[in-house]
Amino acid sequence: MILVGYIPTPQGEAALAAAIGEAKAHDESVLVINMSRDDKLVDAHRAESSTLDRLDRDLAESGVAHEVRRIEHGTDPADQILSVIEDEGPRMLVIGIRHRSPVGKLLLGSTAQRLLLDAACPVLAVKAD
């Protein structure tokens, strides 16, 4: 199983695309943890849908076996993802990171930094601008 920490940003989309590619290449499933605090998305046609519905639809179209979960609000996203890693033992965690200034590159942000340092599985950090 490939675990993805997803947020509806270019970084999250890059992470999702990389996870789908990995899953297809190794005939695995994808577990997406939606870390977004906002559960609604507006698409190009101005139609509003839930992030979970959109993720489920996109993954179904990719042909990859999948599950989409919502993060529990009011808790630390890194803690939840690390707990899933401990409980379910994915082969890999995929997260998206954004381009940052030279100083910012050293400090990725608390969630990304914790996942890179504390995950008990390989982490693929996909950069998106």
Side-chain angles (χ1 to χ4, degrees):
M1 173 212 345
I2 306 293
L3 178 62
V4 182
Y6 176 84
I7 52 175
T9 63
Q11 296 80 25
E13 297 300 329
L16 185 61
I20 290 170
E22 280 288 319
K24 285 182 176 181
H26 299 284
D27 195 29
E28 292 184 271
S29 64
V30 173
L31 171 55
V32 179
I33 304 295
N34 176 26
M35 300 189 312
S36 175
R37 301 282 184 214
D38 185 10
D39 193 37
K40 296 290 181 189
L41 289 176
V42 178
D43 67 17
H45 304 290
R46 297 255 183 227
E48 191 175 275
S49 63
S50 83
T51 306
L52 295 177
D53 290 342
R54 207 223 64 215
L55 284 169
D56 192 50
R57 185 177 59 247
D58 289 353
L59 285 161
E61 289 174 4
S62 76
V64 173
H66 66 280
E67 179 182 349
V68 180
R69 296 183 191 167
R70 173 181 293 129
I71 200 162
E72 294 177 28
H73 295 295
T75 60
D76 181 10
D79 283 343
Q80 287 190 47
I81 289 175
L82 293 170
S83 177
V84 170
I85 291 170
E86 185 177 310
D87 294 345
E88 301 194 28
R91 182 177 68 83
M92 175 188 297
L93 168 64
V94 182
I95 60 172
I97 58 174
R98 66 180 168 222
H99 175 76
R100 296 184 183 247
S101 67
V103 172
K105 288 179 185 177
L106 298 174
L107 305 168
L108 293 171
S110 61
T111 300
Q113 187 172 12
R114 283 198 53 216
L115 293 174
L116 287 169
L117 295 174
D118 296 342
C121 67
V123 178
L124 174 60
V126 180
K127 186 174 91 171
D129 291 328

